[in-house]
Each structure stands twice: as structure tokens, then as C-alpha cells.
Amino acid sequence: MPDQSPASGPGSAADPGRPLSLRRAEAVHRAGLLEVESYDLTLDLTTSEETFDSLTRIVVTSAGGSTFLDLKPTSLRSVHVDGAPLDVALLQRGRLPLDLPAGRHEVVVDAVMPFRNDGEGLHRSVDPADGRHYVYGMSFMDAAPTVFACFDQPDLKAPYTLHVTAPQEWTVVGNGAATQVEPGRWELATTQPLSTYFVTLVAGPYHVVRDTHDGIPLGLSARASLAGALEADAEELLTLTRQCFDEFHRLFGIRYPFGEYNQAFVPEFNAGAMENPGCVTFRDTLVFSSRTTRGMRTQRAITVAHEMAHQWFGNIVTPRWWDDLWLNESFAEYMGNRVTASVTQFDEAWVLNSFQRRQWGLLADQRPTTHPVAGNGADDALEALQSFDGISYAKGSAILRQLNARLGDDVFLAGAVDHFTRHRFGNATMHDLLGSWERAGAADLGTFSDAWLTTAGPDLLEVDRTAGVLRRTAPATAEGVAPAERTHAVSLLVAAPGDGAEGGSVHEVQVDAAQVPVTVPDGGVVLLDPVEATWAATLPDATTVPLLPALVSATEDARVRAAVWNQLRSGVHHARVDPDAAVDLAEAWLPVETVDAGLVYTFPWVLSYLPHTSDPATSADRLQEAALVAARGAEPGSPLQLAAFQSAIGACRAADLLVAWLGGERLPEGVDVDLELRWRLLVRLAALGATDRAALDAALDAEPTAVSRVEHTRAVASLPTAEAKAFAWERLTGAVSVPNYELTAAGDGLWRSGTDGPDGVALPYVQEFAALVPTLPDVHSGWVLATAVEAFYPRSSVTAATVTAMTTLAARDDLDGSVRRRLLDATDELTHRLAVRRAFRGED
């Protein structure tokens, strides 16, 4: 389980008014009772800007017995079963009881549903650039019942037919091909069997680009104000889509079966994307309206491939319950990186994965909330949402990559194909997939599964030069439970001082015991697992750490540079390495790094540790200068130059220089200040207290885009004034209602600080936060509830008192499970940072 402590989340006795979250036992009972034949949905989006009409017709066969329908309306007009009315007052806490005798039945529900602004259900937003309204559906994890009445669990699949009334100037797309039968009325083709959480609808005055490939109709859509940016990106996106379809068809020999393939870039989307069959939704910040780095484009390409992989892993075959969510995410993560690297122009996908995702997964796997990749034990649908983390994605992907290397492509892919064929349009479990691999020729995978998939935590690998051994420390387990016996096939890169990876020697090591002998020199670099072939936390030894800057300066292998950073980050996290070493490494690395993803995804971590260095101000100045050297040395106008200049802004303490850059002066040749850079500069000036609210308001008025609105919120909340912190706090409490992106930006700004530690003006909010958190489910829900806790957590108050206060808060027995999970993770990070300060700064 992701949360081992007692919880009283939504639906518990402690929260009698909140909707109930589905329990696993309830899902098993309902799946045994019902077989859903079809859903027919009629949605009228024209009735008001706050609500819409939802008419649901469900044809279902019952084995005979009592169950319930999931439904969370604004108001319920009527419910009929086989033409007979039910008392609408029976609806309680999101459930409508049903007594269905054995046989076939029709259930008809007429309801008024809410438009939402938190990225779930049917989300409605207004584009500040032109005032136009946009709608999209996100039915994932408990959200579908705010769109239509349903039996909301992944293993009650059925075909869907939608009929939609929308304003006449709107375009409609969804899971099935949409046809406008008369102005404002749309009919969507009946789908293949889908789980409820895949059902979506995208409606509004979207700009649409259409194409076809290999008989598959393709579509791209984004807000009208992004039409120019979408047109500019369309060929790249369509080329990626074509290449990925061709490769997935080649690998699996099973064609994409869901008709059209629309990719809709929608506003204020919580996730990176959602794999809805026929209509994948993405956050529309992935349509680049400002200049961007290659790393961001590579990440977008991986996301496109990831969602396409889901059409097989997740959509053709869907997990039976949420404890097997890795069957979706780990596979999509692995295949997304693999396909992107092998058939698209973004062949550095695995290097980006190392810079961006590996530490995310390793830290999640070392938190007190760690859980297995597979079979995480989630008994509650909302609780399961908390396990969509670095373990489900990054760790699971790494384990599958190891398994693929062990089995070989022929067996690995044959097992996947067997899995898709046996369970086509149905549901399956981890054991079903393991059985498919074994039928394809794999040996018994029970031992592998036990060691890597169903046991939480990474091994810790480190070299002890004095003893001449490589040590493997298994993660702690519950009393009486033996640790996993994992074997690691790794290499050691041994390089003399000043040599790059190319000048060193590589030694292969089989780590099959708690310690194995290795021969390493007294001096020089010893880098464990330089190509990151195994899943483990690897720490650099004391001799190696000061030599790492020379290594990254000399090596031409981006994989080695990424591995160096991951090992140093692990060393700092465990208070084994002084954050000053991170500054030394970054100073040497910034001018030589050629993969801008390293700067985009690693440098912010370096900045986050500046307050913990021995001289934060001097460290920041060194990093700014190194970043400017990199920007001036890069090709003018290149993505690498942009990433270096973004890094320089993040480190800059000189308000006069920031103001000059904002005005277009003293810039490296090739840098132009566009909307994104302008707001990056304004946010930095705000954090330094070198601008004011009036100037920020004027900047928003000058360019009232969606990006500007979010960054304006971040900048205002970053000002070191009591008024600015109150501005942020009102958004958390709900006193001022804002969409999800603005809410998280306000939290980011509240605790944003310069190099000298948290602004004193924000410190009273530590206790305010502790007092407010237990009541937050009355204000926010679902995905946003958890992200709000994370965004407003007092992360820059690195004190023993704050750790104690947050630990006490997380131990309360009346907390929502998602709230507790974020509190535990954030407090663990705070504890580690406090340990760093104690170890290297001498603080209590």
C-alpha cells in the first residue's frame, strides 16, 4: 500500500458528507453481479456556463442482487429502471442503490452535472486571450460520475455512444468519430468497449488540424489563440505520430483498433496527458507559443509515444484493479522512451529520461510511502491515485528494460502480443502477463517478480576502496520479512584524474551478495553503473566526489554525465555529499553540457540546494557566471543557449542585470526576450523584491494570455510582502476561487525565496498550513487536493520545528489519504535537507 497509516479518506465515518470512494471488495462484488452491454449518453452543453444536462442510458445484465450506481450531480431530475421511476432521494454520497433482478435491464438517469475548473470531470475554462470558452472531459479516478451516471470501475467495460449539443461555433471530438448532423448537434460513433475512466469529450472553438496515416484519421486541436503555434508544431507532431504508429504496428503486429486518433491540447490539464482511446488529451503548454529547448521537445515526443503505447498497454487490455496500474504506466514509460529513441529525431530520449525521471523514481522508492511496482495493495480507488508516482513510471520502466535485456526482444514482445490477444478489450492482472511471457519462452518469472516487482525499495550500491569491496545494502523490510535477493549486473568506470570516460577502463561486476570484491586504485574516479543498467541508488565515494567536475568536463558521453549527476544527487540526499560539491560540479558542467535536457531538469535541483551551501550568495554568483559562459558559448539562438540563459536567470541575484535583460539589453547574442522569458525574469525579480504588484499587473494587462495569468499569480505570490503571501493563501483556502494551474502557482510563489533562505514574511504560514490542512477536502478534491498540499507545503522552512509540526500533522487520524501521502513525502524531503544542514553546516 502507498499509505500504511490509518486513514479516513473520502467516504470514511469521519467525513459523512463526502462521496464514497470505491473499495476493492465492492468492485469485485459488482463485477460478479453485472455485465454492462452499452452506454448511451446525451449531453447538452448549452444550458448554462456552470452546469450541463446529462442523460445516461445504460443497458446491463444482472445476475440478480443489490448494487449501486455512481453519480455525483448538481441535481438529479429522475431515475428509471425498465421504465419504472426510482426515488431520487435515495442518492447518498455519490451512490444510488439499485436492486436488479436477474436479467437484462435499462437504467435511465436524467441529471444536471457541474462544469468544473480543477481539471477533472467536464472542465470548463475561459481563455483570457480572447474570452472564449473551452470544455474537455477527464474521467479518470472517481471523476466520471460528475459527467454521467455509471458503474465506475475499470473492469466493467462497455461500448459508448454520445450525442452532444454544443454552441454552434464549437467543434466536438471524442472517443468515437464525431459528425455534426445539424448546427450545434453532434453524433459520435459507438466505441469499442471502454472503461469508464477513458470516456472523454473535447468541445469548444478549437483550432483543428487534420491528416491521415496508414488509414487512420489523425487530428490535432488547441485553443484558437494557439492556432499559430499549433500550425507551427503540427508537422513535427504528425511526423512523430506517424513514426510511432508504424513502429508499434511493427513491434506488436496488432493494429490500432480505436478508429480516429485525435490529440487534443487542452487548457489547465492536471497530468501531462491522458490516453483516452480515440481522443488523447494533453496539457496545452505542450503547444509551444514561445521558444523552447530541445529537452522540452524531446519530452513532448516521449509523451506522444507514451500515450500511443497506452493504446495497447491499458486500452486494448486494462488492469482489473488499480493495484496493477503499472501494467499501464510502466509499460507506456518504457515503450515511450524506447520508440522515441529508436524511430524519431529525438534519439537522446534515454539520456533525458536519466536526467529527468531516474531521481524522481529513486526518491519515491526511498520515501516512507514507498510501494511495490506491482500489486501495491491499494484497497481504495482514491488511495490508488497516490501510487501514480515515480515508482509506477520511472522504476517500473527501468525494471521492464532490465527484463527485456534478460528475455530478449523475441520473447518479450511475443509475451506482450499473447497478452493483448488473450485479453483483447478486456481486463487482466500481473499474473496474466507473467503467464504470457512464460508461454512465449521465459523461464519461471516468480523469483524475478518477487525481487523486482512486488518488493519495494531500491538496493544501495557503493564502493569501499579501503575494504576493496562493492557493497549492496537491501532496503529495510518489515520484521520477519527477508530482504529481496537481487542480482545486479553493473560496470565500474575507473578513470585517472583528468581523464574522461573515454580514457578510463570499464570493469563488469556481478553483484550477487551483500558485498563482492573489486579492485580499484587508491586515487581517481570510480563511477558505479555509468550507463545506469540496473535499478539501484548508487553513491559516489569520498575520493571520487571532488574529481567529478574534471570527469564531466572531459567526457563526451552524455549518459555518463547524467549518471554522475544522479549519483551526486543521491549522495547529497543522504547527507553523504556536501551541497558545495554540487555547485563545484555545476560550475564545471554548465559550459560543456550539450544535451539541454540536463540543464532544464537538473539545474533547478542545484538551485534548490543553494540555501544549504556554505556561502549561498557566492554560490549563486558562480552558477550565474557559469550559465552565462554556457549561453555565450552556445550557438546563437539555439535551444542549448536558451536553456543556459534560463539557468542564468534562475541563479541571478543582481536586480539591475535582470532589469536590463527584461529591457532587451546586455543579452547574449541570439537571445530574444519572448513571453516565457519575460515572465521568468519577472518572477525572479519578484522573488528578490525588485518589482511590485503594479508592474506585474501591467505586464498581465499587456499580454493577457493563459501563460501570463498563471505566471502573474506565481510572481505576485513570490513578492516578499505580507500582502503577497495573503494573496497566495486566499487561493488555498478557497476565499478566492482559481483554476488548478493558478492554485499551484500561488503555492510555489508563497515559499519561493532567494539564496538566503525563506522570507520571514511567509513563516507564519507554517502554523497556518498545519491548522488548515485537515479541512482542505471541504475546499478542494481529487487530484487538485493532493497537488495543493504539495504546492503549499512549507518546503523552504528547513527547521527542526517545522519537521516536528509537519510530522505531527501527518500523524492525525482524520486526514484524507491523499493529503497524508503528500505530507509524508514532503516531510521526508524536509528531514533529509535538515540532515544535510546538520552534517555540513553544523546546524541543530
Side-chain angles (χ1 to χ4, degrees):
M1 274 190 180
D3 180 3
Q4 298 290 349
S5 52
S8 67
S12 71
D15 299 311
R18 297 177 193 153
L20 290 159
S21 183
L22 185 67
R23 312 292 293 184
R24 181 171 190 159
E26 295 172 324
V28 170
H29 171 77
R30 192 161 62 176
L33 183 69
L34 303 179
E35 182 177 337
V36 185
E37 181 178 316
S38 66
Y39 283 88
D40 189 285
L41 311 180
T42 301
L43 306 179
D44 188 343
L45 311 183
T46 65
T47 55
S48 82
E49 294 181 3
E50 289 75 39
T51 62
F52 61 96
D53 289 352
S54 173
L55 182 67
T56 306
R57 292 181 174 86
I58 310 172
V59 177
V60 60
T61 299
S62 171
S66 297
T67 186
F68 57 89
L69 192 67
D70 297 296
L71 179 61
K72 302 172 185 176
T74 298
S75 63
L76 182 55
R77 293 188 178 118
S78 65
V79 180
H80 289 80
V81 177
D82 300 329
L86 290 186
D87 183 0
V88 297
L90 294 173
L91 178 66
Q92 297 291 327
R93 300 174 69 185
R95 295 181 175 185
L96 182 74
L98 293 177
D99 188 9
L100 298 177
R104 189 170 181 265
H105 303 278
E106 182 183 61
V107 180
V108 180
V109 179
D110 187 0
V112 178
M113 296 292 194
F115 284 120
R116 298 171 63 172
N117 74 344
D118 60 359
E120 299 187 61
L122 211 54
H123 179 104
R124 186 170 186 139
S125 66
V126 180
D127 188 344
D130 55 21
R132 294 180 178 180
H133 289 239
Y134 293 88
V135 167
Y136 65 85
M138 177 61 161
S139 294
F140 180 76
M141 201 69 76
D142 274 13
T146 65
V147 181
F148 58 99
C150 56
F151 301 105
D152 190 23
Q153 59 190 72
D155 59 344
L156 284 177
K157 287 184 163 183
Y160 286 78
T161 305
L162 269 68
H163 320 271
V164 180
T165 301
Q168 292 187 17
E169 68 275 15
W170 284 18
T171 296
V172 172
V173 295
N175 303 105
T179 302
Q180 186 171 202
V181 295
E182 61 181 68
R185 285 194 56 245
W186 297 77
E187 297 290 330
L188 277 67
T190 301
T191 69
Q192 298 285 8
L194 307 180
S195 298
T196 49
Y197 76 94
F198 290 137
V199 178
T200 194
L201 177 73
V202 176
Y206 284 92
H207 180 74
V208 180
V209 177
R210 298 194 184 279
D211 195 12
T212 60
H213 177 66
D214 193 19
I216 303 170
L218 307 178
L220 304 171
S221 55
R223 289 176 287 129
S225 64
L226 291 174
L230 182 65
E231 290 286 348
D233 279 356
E235 187 52 39
E236 181 177 306
L237 289 165
L238 290 170
T239 297
L240 289 168
T241 304
R242 298 180 197 115
Q243 291 169 329
C244 291
F245 264 134
D246 289 347
E247 181 68 355
F248 283 119
H249 287 158
R250 184 188 74 82
L251 291 172
F252 301 140
I254 298 173
R255 284 185 58 82
Y256 169 74
F258 297 106
E260 291 186 354
Y261 193 73
N262 293 290
Q263 296 175 96
F265 295 85
V266 299
E268 299 165 350
F269 198 67
N270 283 322
M274 179 64 197
E275 66 268 22
N276 316 300
C279 186
V280 176
T281 43
F282 298 80
R283 57 172 54 203
D284 66 6
T285 52
L286 292 176
V287 175
F288 300 126
S289 56
S290 291
R291 288 183 58 232
T292 193
T293 63
R294 181 171 173 87
M296 291 298 294
R297 288 191 178 276
T298 304
Q299 181 53 56
R300 181 175 70 178
I302 294 169
T303 303
V304 168
H306 177 113
E307 302 310 318
M308 295 183 76
H310 271 309
Q311 306 309 312
W312 288 264
F313 289 105
N315 295 6
I316 289 180
V317 183
T318 308
R320 186 168 296 158
W321 180 247
W322 302 114
D323 63 340
D324 268 328
L325 59 89
W326 76 287
L327 294 172
N328 286 8
E329 300 307 339
S330 299
F331 276 93
E333 182 89 352
Y334 168 61
M335 297 303 299
N337 279 286
R338 171 178 166 161
V339 169
T340 301
S342 62
V343 302
T344 79
Q345 64 167 303
F346 300 103
D347 54 3
E348 72 273 29
W350 283 115
V351 175
L352 180 144
N353 179 77
S354 185
F355 273 121
Q356 183 197 21
R357 309 286 267 190
R358 187 171 177 87
Q359 276 295 313
W360 176 46
L362 281 170
L363 288 179
D365 207 18
Q366 296 171 86
R367 301 289 191 205
T369 57
T370 186
H371 57 83
V373 172
N376 59 52
D379 189 50
D380 174 294
L382 282 182
E383 178 187 331
L385 176 61
Q386 306 317 307
S387 294
F388 279 77
D389 57 14
I391 297 169
S392 307
Y393 289 79
K395 180 181 179 179
S397 168
I399 301 308
L400 289 173
R401 197 178 185 192
Q402 291 174 217
L403 181 63
N404 180 259
R406 169 179 166 171
L407 299 181
D409 244 16
D410 289 347
V411 172
F412 186 88
L413 294 173
V417 170
D418 181 78
H419 183 69
F420 301 146
T421 303
R422 286 175 178 271
H423 307 287
R424 186 175 175 87
F425 300 132
N427 301 82
T429 68
M430 174 188 73
H431 297 291
D432 293 324
L433 179 59
L434 296 180
S436 288
W437 272 323
E438 289 170 357
R439 280 188 292 273
D444 179 12
L445 292 175
T447 301
F448 176 89
S449 174
D450 291 344
W452 294 101
L453 294 175
T454 61
T455 300
D459 289 348
L460 183 69
L461 302 180
E462 51 191 331
V463 169
D464 184 335
R465 293 184 196 236
T466 303
V469 298
L470 192 164
R471 288 201 174 90
R472 176 182 72 87
T473 305
T477 60
E479 185 177 352
V481 178
E485 292 296 331
R486 298 172 177 142
T487 297
H488 302 269
V490 299
S491 55
L492 289 181
L493 171 64
V494 180
D499 284 346
E502 296 77 11
S505 57
V506 176
H507 308 271
E508 302 300 327
V509 181
Q510 189 83 354
V511 186
D512 53 7
Q515 58 183 41
V516 295
V518 293
T519 302
V520 296
D522 292 336
V525 168
V526 176
L527 190 66
L528 258 169
D529 196 18
V531 296
E532 299 181 328
T534 194
W535 184 258
T538 50
L539 301 183
D541 69 286
T543 302
T544 292
V545 170
L547 301 176
L548 292 177
L551 176 65
V552 297
S553 295
T555 186
E556 296 182 2
D557 193 334
R559 297 176 304 168
V560 171
R561 295 194 297 271
V564 165
W565 269 113
N566 281 326
Q567 294 185 30
L568 183 130
R569 290 178 65 173
S570 288
V572 172
H573 177 75
H574 288 286
R576 303 275 195 91
V577 176
D578 191 325
D580 283 354
V583 177
D584 295 340
L585 179 60
E587 189 175 32
W589 165 75
L590 282 164
V592 301
E593 183 55 70
T594 58
V595 178
D596 64 38
L599 279 65
V600 171
Y601 296 113
T602 299
F603 195 71
W605 174 86
V606 179
L607 293 179
S608 78
Y609 265 93
L610 281 181
H612 313 314
T613 59
S614 59
D615 187 345
T618 300
S619 294
D621 292 344
R622 290 169 57 197
L623 292 176
Q624 176 203 304
E625 182 55 33
L628 284 177
V629 168
R632 295 183 187 115
E635 180 184 348
S638 67
L640 182 61
Q641 182 188 54
L642 176 61
F645 187 66
Q646 289 172 343
S647 299
I649 294 172
C652 186
R653 299 186 309 118
D656 60 338
L657 183 56
L658 292 166
V659 170
W661 289 341
L662 190 61
E665 301 174 359
R666 301 167 63 182
L667 293 165
E669 180 187 355
V671 172
D672 294 317
V673 178
D674 57 14
L675 180 68
E676 192 278 335
L677 276 181
R678 187 154 41 253
W679 278 109
R680 191 180 287 262
L681 287 161
L682 286 167
V683 169
R684 184 67 184 139
L685 282 165
L688 294 173
T691 188
D692 58 23
R693 174 70 183 271
L696 298 175
D697 290 349
L700 175 61
D701 291 341
E703 293 182 279
T705 67
V707 170
S708 297
R709 187 169 62 184
V710 172
E711 295 308 314
H712 173 266
T713 296
R714 193 186 322 276
V716 171
S718 297
L719 291 166
T721 66
E723 294 78 12
K725 304 313 173 187
F727 166 92
W729 195 250
E730 288 173 338
R731 280 141 182 80
L732 179 62
T733 64
V736 175
S737 178
V738 294
N740 45 352
Y741 284 13
E742 291 177 59
L743 176 66
T744 54
D748 179 55
L750 174 65
W751 293 105
R752 186 176 290 266
S753 63
T755 59
D756 298 324
D759 297 317
V761 71
L763 292 181
Y765 289 97
V766 175
Q767 293 304 321
E768 293 280 352
F769 180 82
L772 179 66
V773 160
T775 66
L776 273 181
D778 296 329
V779 182
H780 307 290
S781 62
W783 197 303
V784 166
L785 173 62
T787 55
V789 171
E790 183 175 0
F792 281 84
Y793 186 93
R795 61 186 178 276
S796 59
S797 180
V798 186
T799 68
T802 299
V803 168
T804 298
M806 295 299 105
T807 301
T808 301
L809 174 61
R812 290 181 54 147
D813 62 6
D814 60 344
L815 290 183
D816 177 276
S818 65
V819 169
R820 179 178 288 103
R821 170 67 185 268
R822 297 303 174 98
L823 286 173
L824 288 170
D825 285 350
T827 303
D828 182 67
E829 179 64 25
L830 200 65
T831 302
H832 279 271
R833 291 188 179 233
L834 182 60
V836 168
R837 297 188 70 88
R838 286 170 170 166
F840 299 106
R841 306 285 81 87
E843 298 181 11
D844 291 331

